[in-house]
Structure formats: structure tokens, C-alpha cells
Amino acid sequence: MRQVLHITDVHFGRHHQPDRSAGLVELLRQRTADLVAFSGDVTKRAKPREFAQGRRFIEALGVPTIVVPGNHDVPMYRFWERLFHPYGAYRRHFDRELEPVYQDDELLVVGVNTAWNLTIDGGRVWPRRARRLERQLVEGKGSRCAIVMLHHQMIPVPGYDSPKVMRNALGTARALVHGGADLVLSGHVHLSYLGRSEELEGAPAGLPVLFSGTACSSRGRGPEVGRNTCHWLEIDELGIAIERLEWDRQAGAFVGGERWKLERRSAA
């Protein structure tokens, strides 16, 4: 069995809530995790001090952590950097790797960078990257549970303020299904939602897509305005158990809530 904490949209800088990030550190003192999957938006404005805070936070978690950038991790107002070195600050002050891979005997987690410099909000996966991702899954999966982590939405999310999905969402969905992915982890929308690939028109069916709400920002959206959520995953050879955790102000901690049980596609 593997246990994974999925967090996203921590947003060090403006709107970050330090008691929530401290609560995540405490959560990992209370529970044993094999991995933290962090699906983007480390910062609010991609400033060096925000990335430094993010690095200290990752180190405080004390657990192997895999991170992909979000759109907020690309400079917005530093136009020269945005055009010519969009990941320069991320690489200098946080992590050189934009698409990390975690792998052990039971688990394969592939990070995909959906952020880019010519948009403020939206994401994309280029067709060439989607084809390479499919091969990556086919070659690396074996008997492992295969999880793909990206920041932007591959399927529309009810309650979010826009029905738009990332560029080449359909091609990406097809690549993930054909490659044998068991689960997609996402962020960006600041609300938690468990959907399926077929919710994107034309996409093949059967691939679960899990969005986490913002773990530490005050910018929850839709039904999660003013709330903070993340997910705890327990993965065995047959399925994936998901527990939605929500910040409880009175307890000053993340506490358990709704649960789902997914059958692994390989087991099915």
C-alpha cells in the first residue's frame, strides 16, 4: 500500500494563510505518507522570496515531494522574464525540474508542466508532449499504479467560473487513457472535484480526474469560498481510496470528510 497527500495552490505571497501550511506539516506528523503530490501554484507572483518560502515548506514536510509549476509560478509583471525565461525564477529559487517523475515498486507518478508564458490563466499540453507521455506510461507502468499530475483542468469542473479546459485537453485525455493511467491529479480551480475523462466531449471513458481545492490560500472558489481542502490517497493493488480533508478553524487542523473508492483501471 502507498499513501499520498495531494495538495495544490498553496500560493506563498498575498492570500497565503500560514496556519494552513503549518497544518499540513502537522498533518504529516500525525499520518504516515509515502509521497506528497503538489500540483502547482507554489507562489502568488513568482517572486524569489515566495519560492524561498515554498522551498522551506517542502523541506518542513519531511516527506518525498513531487511538484509541477502552475500559471502563478510564471512571472506576470516581469515581462522580459515572462517572454524569455518564464521558469527562470522557479528553477533558480525552487526546483530545476519542471516535469519530475516519482517511481517505486508500487507507484508511478508523472508530472506534466501545463503552465506557459503566453497566457495569464490557461494551460496546455502540446501534442508532441502528449504522445511522449503516452509512451512514458506504457513503458513505465508495469504493475504500478500510474498517476499523472498536472496543474490545469483537462475536463470542465462544475462550480468553477469558466467551462474552459486547457489546450489539447482532448489529445491529452486520449494519451492518458491509452497509456493506462489510473488517475489524474489537478489543481488550478480552487475547489475539490472528482470527475471522469468522459466529461470532456469526445474523450474516451473511464479515467478518474481529481481536483483538489486550494490548500493554503484564502481564494477558494464556488462551493469552497473561504474554505481549504486537500486529499489523502491510499493505494493498493486493487483500488484507490480518497479522503477529502478540510481545514477546521475550531480544531486548527485538517480533518477528514467525504470519501470515495476507485477501482484501478488495470485491476478492472
Side-chain angles (χ1 to χ4, degrees):
M1 177 183 285
R2 292 292 181 264
Q3 299 191 90
V4 177
L5 174 64
H6 174 216
I7 63 174
T8 192
D9 297 271
V10 170
H11 286 296
F12 281 95
R14 188 182 180 192
H15 305 303
H16 177 77
Q17 298 176 297
D19 56 342
R20 274 61 161 177
S21 52
L24 291 173
V25 174
E26 181 59 30
L27 175 68
L28 291 175
R29 291 185 181 139
Q30 303 295 327
R31 300 191 183 197
T32 301
D34 298 289
L35 181 70
V36 175
F38 185 169
S39 53
D41 278 359
V42 177
T43 70
K44 178 64 176 177
R45 285 289 175 256
K47 296 178 179 179
R49 66 173 180 271
E50 295 172 352
F51 282 123
Q53 290 173 320
R55 174 48 55 193
R56 289 194 293 270
F57 168 68
I58 294 297
E59 292 169 352
L61 293 175
V63 173
T65 303
I66 180 171
V67 189
V68 293
N71 54 291
H72 279 269
D73 298 321
V74 174
M76 177 177 284
Y77 300 116
R78 304 194 305 274
F79 299 110
W80 186 262
E81 284 185 60
R82 185 176 185 84
L83 287 175
F84 299 106
H85 303 285
Y87 311 112
Y90 185 94
R91 284 178 156 143
R92 284 194 305 273
H93 303 286
F94 186 72
D95 194 339
R96 293 200 60 79
E97 183 56 64
L98 302 179
E99 296 193 320
V101 176
Y102 175 88
Q103 181 173 308
D104 63 23
D105 292 341
E106 299 181 31
L107 187 61
L108 171 67
V109 183
V110 179
V112 179
N113 176 26
T114 61
W116 60 313
N117 61 342
L118 297 182
T119 181
I120 293 176
D121 187 56
R124 57 88 181 101
V125 174
W126 298 126
R128 180 182 298 179
R129 177 63 179 110
R131 292 191 294 270
R132 183 163 58 89
L133 178 58
E134 181 177 344
R135 294 194 299 270
Q136 198 173 1
L137 290 169
V138 170
E139 293 168 2
K141 179 178 171 64
S143 61
R144 300 177 181 91
C145 178
I147 296 174
V148 174
M149 182 174 68
L150 39 81
H151 181 65
H152 290 88
Q153 63 271 45
M154 189 180 75
I155 63 172
V157 178
Y160 185 55
D161 53 14
S162 171
K164 291 183 179 180
V165 295
M166 67 183 187
R167 291 192 180 189
N168 195 36
L170 183 56
T172 304
R174 288 171 174 163
L176 297 185
V177 172
H178 297 158
D182 291 294
L183 178 66
V184 177
L185 299 179
S186 291
H188 187 63
V189 297
H190 288 209
L191 58 91
S192 58
Y193 176 66
L194 177 61
R196 294 247 171 201
S197 52
E198 58 264 34
E199 294 171 34
L200 175 66
E201 185 176 357
L207 176 59
V209 184
L210 180 65
F211 294 84
S212 182
T214 173
C216 303
S217 166
S218 62
R219 300 293 297 276
R221 290 173 173 162
E224 294 193 15
V225 169
R227 297 159 69 184
N228 299 92
T229 58
C230 55
H231 294 114
W232 191 270
L233 282 61
E234 293 186 349
I235 303 164
D236 60 26
E237 65 274 11
L238 294 179
I240 305 171
I242 302 170
E243 180 184 14
R244 181 175 175 274
L245 305 176
E246 182 168 348
W247 180 256
D248 185 308
R249 288 186 178 85
Q250 289 187 332
F254 283 94
V255 300
E258 189 174 3
R259 295 173 181 262
W260 303 277
K261 180 71 174 181
L262 304 176
E263 188 177 42
R264 281 175 55 178
R265 296 180 63 233
S266 52

